[in-house]
Each structure stands twice: as C-alpha cells, then as structure tokens.
Amino acid sequence: MSKADGDVPDDTIADELTTRPSAALRTDVAHGARIYDYILGGKDNYAADRAAGNATLKVWPALRVHMHANRSFMHRVVRYLTAEKGIRQFLDIGTGIPTSPNFHEVAQEIAPECRIVYVDNDPVVLVHARALMNGTREGRTAYIQADMREPEKIISAPELLGTLDLGRPIGLTLIAMVHFIEDDEEAYRVVRQIIDILPSGSYFAAAIATDDFDPEVLGKVREIYHAHGETLRWRSLAQAERFFDGLELEEPGVVQIHKWHPDATGAHIDDTDIAMYGGIARKP
C-alpha cells in the first residue's frame, strides 16, 4: 500500500488510536482484515496477524490465490451493480484496510456520482478512513466504525442516513464477512435485519466462506484461526444460499467466487484453491 492509498506508519497508528477511546486495538490476537492485508502484501498488520497468515500458508498454500480471487470478485460485483444495474449508492460492510482500487474508486470510475458508506470494526481501518473518503466531487463517501453484529447501530448511523437515500435502491455488500459470525442463526438474523431496511430494487452481494472443496485442509485452517484468536465458520452451499432467501438471485446463482462472471484469471484457478461462495440477488 502506498502513501497515496492511505498507508500510515505503525507508530502513527498507535498515536492516533490513543485519541479515539472507542477504538480498542488488540494487537495480541489476529484480525481478519489485518491477516488479509498481510497476505496481500500490506503493512498494516501485527505479529499475531502475520503468525496466523504464515501458519495458514503452511497448511494451505493457496491462501494468497484465494484472497486475490476474493478481491477480484469484489471488483466485479461493484462493476456489475454500477454498470449493468444502475446502482449509484452502496453500503459496504467489512471494508477492510484500504488498498487501491478501493470500492468507491471502482464505482466512481463508472459513475462519478456514486455514494458509498463503508463499515468496519477494526480500529486500524478507522485510522485509514480518510483514504476511504477521498472520492469524486460528484459523489460522496462516508465511514462508520461499527461491528456487523450490531445492525441497529449501522442502519441508524448519521453517516448512513446523511449519505444514502433509503428511498432509492442500494447495493449492500458483505464480502468475506459472515464467516466471522459462527452462530448460524445470528448470522442470518444480522444480514436479514440490514436487508429489511433496503428499498425494493436494491441488491445484496456476499462472499461466504466454505470448506466444500477441500474440507480436510480447511479444517486445519479453521483450527489455526481459532488458535490465533480469530473466528472462522465454513458453510455449505445450502447454508450459503440461505442468506439470499426471499431475494431474486442473479445468474449464475451462488457459485465459487472465481466462477461468478469470471474474468480471464478465473479460468486458471483450481476449485480447491477457493474457499468462498459468492452471489448477487435483487430485493423484489
């Protein structure tokens, strides 16, 4: 990550967090966003994140392929919703540490007037929030420091209500997020509660972790995440599809992320290297 992308030195991160009492930074346990940052070559991670990433790579060398495929899926989702479905406002929950091109950069390149609200619970992402709000003059971006397990806080946040028009279609994205909620009923409830506030014609996109394609190896990955203080819940295809209940799935339905409207790179990826289902659905 370059300075232009919002990179902040580690000592500056610590200094800034001391001025934000609501942002409790835990560097002794791994965090999904920072593991992701480390695997993709970022600098905003700590020893626990690197230990979890390295241990995972030892048992599942495809982790880096998987994470790059996940980011590519996010880009394709944004382009699809913006260019093909005409969506001009988005709620992205589980934003992660900024890495260009960010969500808003992809959307606003197609339609400069797009509005994006980012949500994340990692205080390191909060430090980088200014990079997430560096959008076009025609559009607008905002950031909410919140946990997806608190949907009431997200949907009532002034940042959301002041940025998005709840009377017009919204693109809701939870990319590689619901596996951090291990209780199935809680995960379905949280997602449904947010979908319920969206107006008709909105879209929901998600990438949902699965061990369907290499269960033995991915069982070890889950053990590693747990040992380093991070949660991880694999879900089957049927369980992944349940997140879209009551919605109208876009073709090709819920499939491995590299097979959803694939680009040229997806054709060369082995199925066992991808542990994520993805899909997009319209709210009637």
Side-chain angles (χ1 to χ4, degrees):
M1 187 184 301
S2 67
K3 293 289 183 183
D5 295 331
D7 190 20
V8 178
D10 288 347
D11 54 352
T12 303
I13 292 175
D15 291 343
E16 290 197 29
L17 286 171
T18 62
T19 67
R20 304 174 187 267
S22 63
L25 177 64
R26 289 287 305 275
T27 63
D28 58 321
V29 296
H31 188 285
R34 299 195 300 263
I35 297 172
Y36 189 80
D37 175 73
Y38 171 61
I39 295 300
L40 294 183
K43 300 177 182 178
D44 298 295
N45 47 76
Y46 296 89
D49 311 306
R50 295 188 286 272
N54 289 333
T56 303
L57 283 169
K58 286 183 179 178
V59 301
W60 191 42
L63 176 63
R64 188 167 283 111
V65 173
H66 165 80
M67 288 189 169
H68 277 288
N70 181 68
R71 186 157 183 81
S72 175
F73 172 72
M74 182 270 284
H75 289 158
R76 298 197 307 279
V77 163
V78 177
R79 287 193 292 267
Y80 179 83
L81 291 177
T82 307
E84 299 193 32
K85 296 302 176 180
I87 298 299
R88 295 295 181 265
Q89 47 181 6
F90 297 90
L91 175 59
D92 179 43
I93 299 177
T95 300
I97 296 165
T99 304
S100 189
N102 292 304
F103 192 115
H104 70 277
E105 293 172 319
V106 177
Q108 291 177 347
E109 182 179 9
I110 298 168
E113 70 273 23
C114 282
R115 295 185 168 209
I116 296 91
V117 172
Y118 290 111
V119 182
D120 206 287
N121 72 337
D122 184 357
V124 173
V125 181
L126 177 61
V127 171
H128 291 287
R130 64 177 179 269
L132 295 171
M133 293 185 283
N134 185 24
T136 61
R137 292 182 180 179
E138 302 93 330
R140 187 172 176 184
T141 62
Y143 180 78
I144 302 171
Q145 173 78 13
D147 193 302
M148 65 176 167
R149 297 173 184 84
E150 303 172 317
E152 301 89 350
K153 181 177 179 181
I154 296 172
I155 62 183
S156 64
E159 296 88 348
L160 184 149
L161 299 175
T163 304
L164 305 183
D165 179 355
L166 295 181
R168 296 173 53 234
I170 293 169
L172 168 65
T173 56
L174 283 96
I175 307 299
M177 284 303 298
V178 293
H179 58 269
F180 294 123
I181 302 179
E182 297 204 344
D183 181 83
D184 290 340
E185 292 310 312
E186 181 185 11
Y188 296 129
R189 176 190 61 79
V190 164
V191 172
R192 178 54 52 182
Q193 193 166 342
I194 299 171
I195 290 174
D196 282 347
I197 73 157
L198 303 180
S200 176
S202 294
Y203 286 84
F204 169 54
I208 300 151
T210 184
D211 64 349
D212 281 356
F213 300 91
D214 201 353
E216 183 176 350
V217 169
L218 293 173
K220 296 176 182 177
V221 170
R222 185 170 186 262
E223 292 174 1
I224 291 169
Y225 267 58
H226 284 183
H228 287 85
E230 184 56 285
T231 56
L232 179 57
R233 170 74 167 99
W234 304 120
R235 291 184 169 94
S236 67
L237 176 59
Q239 290 170 320
E241 289 174 332
R242 184 177 165 188
F243 285 100
F244 299 92
D245 281 357
L247 307 177
E248 301 168 347
L249 276 166
E250 297 287 304
E251 292 295 336
V254 178
V255 296
Q256 280 183 289
I257 53 176
H258 65 300
K259 296 180 179 180
W260 192 91
H261 292 238
D263 55 20
T265 60
H268 305 289
I269 296 176
D270 192 301
D271 287 357
T272 57
D273 291 346
I274 301 298
M276 202 81 73
Y277 285 120
I280 292 182
R282 180 183 181 275
K283 182 176 180 179

